[in-house]
Amino acid sequence: MSAKRNEHSTQHDKLPIRMLHDRVLVKQESGEGERRSGGGILIPATAAVGRRLAWAEVVAVGQNVRTVEPGDRVLYDPEDRAEVEVRGVAYVLMRERDLHAVAADRFEGSEDTTGLYL
């Protein structure tokens, strides 16, 4: 009976995941620890500078998502997030409307960009 239960649990671990509606699944690019300023100054994790947005990589999108694709980098507010763990890896789940910006190679040469390069 326990062998059957183990087969059942490993079977669920291998199920594909499809995002629904306007949901976006992202993987954070950096930890929440220390960081360096542009001038090389070390900023400790305890330093409060106000709300700081973070970059993440899009891993999966729902069928109603129109502006981002898997592989894009997106800017979001880490305070407004729902975390989920999939196969031991932590991800952030959010709605498309909660994203602040998108950085992608496909925008190169596009007229609707700000001219900033990240």
Side-chain angles (χ1 to χ4, degrees):
M1 184 103 130
S2 65
K4 203 172 210 180
R5 187 179 312 163
N6 286 342
E7 286 177 19
H8 186 63
S9 66
T10 58
Q11 186 178 27
H12 285 297
D13 292 343
K14 295 179 182 177
L15 289 175
I17 297 173
R18 180 186 309 173
M19 302 306 296
L20 301 176
H21 310 295
D22 65 341
R23 301 304 195 274
V24 179
L25 188 68
V26 300
K27 184 175 180 185
Q28 291 179 305
E29 291 186 351
S30 64
E32 306 242 348
E34 310 179 321
R35 61 186 189 275
R36 290 202 176 268
S37 71
I41 298 171
L42 183 66
I43 303 169
T46 56
V49 183
R51 290 179 71 168
R52 181 175 177 83
L53 300 178
W55 288 99
E57 180 181 350
V58 176
V59 176
V61 297
Q63 70 268 20
N64 295 338
V65 173
R66 301 180 317 182
T67 57
V68 297
E69 298 175 0
D72 289 352
R73 290 181 66 215
V74 292
L75 188 64
Y76 73 101
D77 186 350
E79 292 181 15
D80 299 332
R81 66 181 179 195
E83 293 185 18
V84 63
E85 188 173 309
V86 179
R87 297 183 183 147
V89 179
Y91 296 96
V92 177
L93 177 66
M94 65 189 69
R95 290 178 178 264
E96 181 181 23
R97 69 179 179 217
D98 295 331
L99 300 175
H100 296 280
V102 181
D105 289 335
R106 69 179 183 278
F107 296 146
E108 192 170 324
S110 189
E111 293 178 14
D112 61 345
T113 61
T114 63
L116 297 175
Y117 294 92
L118 306 174

